[in-house]
Amino acid sequence: MNLKEMFGEAKWLTPSEKNETPYFRGEFAAEKKVTRAEITICGLGMFRLYINGKAADDDLFGTLASDFHEWDGQPCVKAFGEKPAHRVYAKKIDITRLTGENNCVGVSLAPGWYNCGNPWGKVNDYGDVKLCFVIDLTYEDGTTGKILSGKWMKWHESEIISWNMFYGEHHDYTKYALDGWNRVGFDDSDWKVPAIIDGPETEYMFSDCPPDRVIRYIAPKLIGETKDEFIYDMGENITGTPIVKARGRDGGKLTLRVSERLDNYGHIEEYTNHGQKASFIVGDDERECGLKFCWFGFRYAAVSRNAEIVSCAVEHCDVAVTSAFSSSNSLLDWMYSTYLRTQLDNMHCGIPSDCPHLEKRGYTGDGELVCECVMMMTDSEKFYRKWLGDIADCQDRVSGHVQYTAPYTRCGGGPGGWGCAIAEVPYTYYRMYGDKSVLEDFLPRTLRYFDYLEAHSEDDLVVSDQKGEWCLGDWCTPEKIEIPEPFVNNYFYVKTINRLLEFCRVLGRDDLVPMLEKRAEIKKAAMVRKYYDPETGDFAKNVQGANCFAVDLGMGDERALRHLVEHYTKNTWFDTGIFGTDILIRVLFEHGYATLAYNLLTAEGPYSFGHWRSTGCTTFPEEWTYKRSQNHPMFGAVVRYLFIYLLGISQDGAGWKDIVLKPRLADGLDSAEGHITTPNGKVAVRFVKREGQVHFRIEIPEGVSARLECGGTYPLYAGVNEITL
């Protein structure tokens, strides 16, 4: 929809003076008895709506993040002349239950992703906060009416005296008498008339993407104190806000700091504080305070001694967990639960982020790595439907370049593992949900991306990205990155070609197959010329898992796989980055080395999941060496293999209509059980090894075909199947 179609004659409002966090309010009387009231509303960047003093819904931030509309300073446009696409999400809310004869509309606003900065400078600057809405009323006699946003509304500064998406908020409850501001009868005589502005000319749409909500509450544990602060432990690394109760003494000003770890003295660690801080001025009042328009990523919190932390709200997108896993190995169980926590902590405003504090961006590399994991383990179809739109928007309409983040904000990445999200995420979405329309949409987009990769190739190797930007191959290896960037980028080019060949098979586009197959062979031949050693059979000296990239593409002879196996049999920890780790585990499982893959997953060496657990991690760190963020999902991509390989849950085709269970039985794992929830119902597997036999209990939903492949082929039927092999 365009602006007119979404809001008609409603006016866009903004504060008449510079203010980032205003309140808007206005009162109206219903002409007759109202039987239905519905509001269409958009607040840029974040908002909360109140009708007669009550929240209209439990959405914490109102507007989903997107590449909202054009603006002159957008980094990709300013630097490279690129042309991304744009969209703004509005909301439609049924407010019938809140509406009476006399009514007050109250809206609280903050910049959100619309206008925010971070430690590296301004990220987004689409403009000042703004608001527009239409209320559609249906009366008892069947007639209708509309209430349109306009100058009948007023605005005022709120208690949020400063706000930052990354660093936090500062509230002053003594500056203005604003209690009751969103109720009928509040004295707004000193409030100001808003400015009327033109609304953004862009694409407007609705989305059923799950919003951010308070998911649960944690009871913090007081673990220490200093002369200035009380220190609390939430018990796990989470996203959300501590709930602070001010005691109204010592001037009524209190500060709140958080961190992911404690320092050697048991205090808030500055390194993992990431600049996150809040303050509250309450005067003589006792008041409960917390963040309103951002979230912290933390485990520990410290508050001034004139207050206490009484609770902690865990906040993220309301995505339900629809899976379970447990086994005879406690480290695998830890990996499953820890990855889930990490992933949920990184789902905010419709974006799968890299971390919940330092950057908060929807990195395409991180996102394509874990998307299958998320879709298998959670009810995330609507979430990813929204993010697919962001990926489409972040592609340059001129060159085909795919940005490193979706929605796009200035950041770093590479043309291989990041840009391939243009095909990988749609393909995974199709496989999980059976919706081939996404393949139809993204096939021409991926072909345009191939044009970009060709334009940035030399001797058929992808060797560059935008001038002055990063050109990463793999990322976050524990030691210095040595695996060559062009080798990794070509791997992803070929892998994405193979994905597009699957698109063509499903869509009947046989006309594209010869060209794609030829291009894949050319790119693989370039990798062989540059990186293959015929004397050893290795690619790029098998550094940091290089052979697994080649083996996954069917390149080389048997020595490449043999040397890969020999290396990781001797060195039972990871020397790989975010992509190599995932590819390595998958290649080992797929080529019959389930025990070695299992041993790596459960290793306790210096760079391992076991080491993370032994040091008390409750989320996955960004680096094997604990640098920077302690809450990054990307290494968790391997958790899907607990289901795909150890339990064997897989499918032929798409949409989970033809289920194939192919468990890879690893030595040392005596039992495992778990389930995922497909569009057709729950698929559950349990196996127990006992006295030389393997006992399976398999649950299959109605209306699908299913079979077990384990030393033979065994048909499975709806309901519970008991099989002993």
Side-chain angles (χ1 to χ4, degrees), residues 144-161:
T144 61
K146 288 183 181 292
I147 306 295
L148 308 179
S149 53
K151 283 203 170 184
W152 61 277
M153 300 283 287
K154 291 185 174 183
W155 77 275
H156 198 283
E157 299 91 337
S158 72
E159 296 96 342
I160 305 176
I161 56 176

Side-chain angles (χ1 to χ4, degrees), residues 344-487:
L344 292 172
D345 284 352
N346 280 281
M347 300 174 81
H348 292 276
C349 300
I351 300 174
S353 66
D354 62 323
C355 63
H357 30 54
L358 275 168
E359 297 181 83
K360 299 187 176 183
R361 293 171 171 84
Y363 275 89
T364 45
D366 306 49
E368 66 89 2
L369 257 176
V370 301
C371 67
E372 184 177 35
C373 213
V374 189
M375 292 183 212
M376 288 189 74
M377 295 165 59
T378 69
D379 180 10
S380 50
E381 179 179 3
K382 295 174 181 177
F383 181 91
Y384 277 97
R385 169 63 75 174
K386 184 267 179 187
W387 199 51
L388 282 169
D390 297 326
I391 295 172
D393 287 349
C394 84
Q395 183 178 32
D396 176 27
R397 297 315 188 246
V398 178
S399 67
H401 180 225
V402 179
Q403 302 290 355
Y404 312 137
T405 58
Y408 176 65
T409 54
R410 191 65 182 267
C411 54
W418 284 260
C420 73
I422 198 75
E424 189 66 27
V425 181
Y427 179 75
T428 303
Y429 189 93
Y430 159 71
R431 287 267 293 159
M432 293 302 296
Y433 306 118
D435 181 359
K436 71 177 184 180
S437 69
V438 297
L439 306 186
E440 294 168 343
D441 183 18
F442 279 87
L443 186 147
R445 300 180 191 277
T446 307
L447 290 173
R448 289 290 294 122
Y449 174 57
F450 289 170
D451 292 340
Y452 180 85
L453 293 179
E454 290 295 331
H456 288 77
S457 295
E458 296 177 6
D459 297 327
D460 292 315
L461 292 169
V462 180
V463 296
S464 69
D465 206 5
Q466 291 287 21
K467 186 177 181 180
E469 296 295 298
W470 295 5
C471 184
L472 296 176
D474 210 346
W475 183 236
C476 289
T477 54
E479 307 292 344
K480 180 183 177 181
I481 299 175
E482 296 182 31
I483 187 169
E485 289 90 345
F487 176 78

